[in-house]
Amino acid sequence: MSILSPRRPHQALPAWPSIPDWSDLMARFESMPPWTSLEGHMIRVEEHLDKGRYTLRAELPGVDPDKDIDISVRDGQMTIKAERTQEQHEGARSEFHYGSFYRSMPLPAGAKEDDIDATYIDGILTVTMPVTESPTPEKHVEITKTTPTATD
């Protein structure tokens, strides 16, 4: 026994949970629909403002933009709604997946709501609109000072 490394009592390994068979895990993964991440009514988006143009990109794979996506703008808010249905038949077995989901985002100040463009390419919805560069002027609020009145 060394003075630098004292001997410690033997510790048993904690009990490990059973790990499912690899082929079972792969079968479960392959059977998941490609939009599983969209379940729970959330559409993944990224947005940015650059050179007077607001751009929002939304991940919406496997939908028909002509009939499954609705974009609306009201009171400075943009709402994207999508609905998906899919049926799959394999011999005597069939499966269906369906769901509707949405996402609302506030538009930046100065967004031109009447001049919106939207495109859908390879499962990505891109919405753009011009934004005026006129900042809102700063307003100072005057505070009035009053003295309490004594009651008799």
Side-chain angles (χ1 to χ4, degrees):
M1 186 165 119
S2 169
I3 295 176
L4 296 176
S5 59
R7 188 167 204 189
R8 296 184 183 164
H10 177 69
Q11 295 177 348
L13 290 175
W16 290 90
S18 62
I19 299 173
D21 182 35
W22 179 255
S23 61
D24 181 45
L25 285 174
M26 288 306 295
R28 288 182 188 188
F29 179 75
E30 290 171 354
S31 69
M32 291 180 0
W35 60 83
T36 300
S37 64
L38 296 177
E39 292 177 351
H41 307 281
M42 185 60 100
I43 299 171
R44 292 171 27 165
V45 299
E46 66 180 19
E47 55 187 337
H48 65 275
L49 184 60
D50 187 34
K51 297 179 184 170
R53 195 126 186 107
Y54 171 75
T55 302
L56 177 128
R57 293 171 23 105
E59 188 178 80
L60 291 168
V63 297
D64 181 350
D66 294 327
K67 60 181 180 177
D68 296 335
I69 300 175
D70 178 56
I71 304 168
S72 61
V73 176
R74 182 177 184 184
D75 297 330
Q77 289 271 38
M78 178 168 45
T79 301
I80 300 172
K81 297 177 185 176
E83 191 167 331
R84 174 173 305 131
T85 58
Q86 178 183 1
E87 292 186 35
Q88 184 177 7
H89 300 278
E90 293 179 14
R93 181 179 176 204
S94 67
E95 288 190 32
F96 66 94
H97 305 278
Y98 63 92
S100 60
F101 26 87
Y102 66 93
R103 181 93 185 250
S104 288
M105 290 79 46
L107 295 173
K112 298 288 187 182
E113 297 179 5
D114 295 332
D115 192 11
I116 299 175
D117 295 314
T119 58
Y120 181 84
I121 300 171
D122 296 332
I124 303 294
L125 174 69
T126 303
V127 181
T128 62
M129 69 187 71
V131 177
T132 59
E133 298 284 336
S134 59
T136 305
E138 183 176 3
K139 180 181 178 181
H140 292 274
V141 178
E142 185 178 330
I143 301 171
T144 57
K145 185 176 179 183
T146 59
T147 57
T149 59
T151 56
D152 292 323

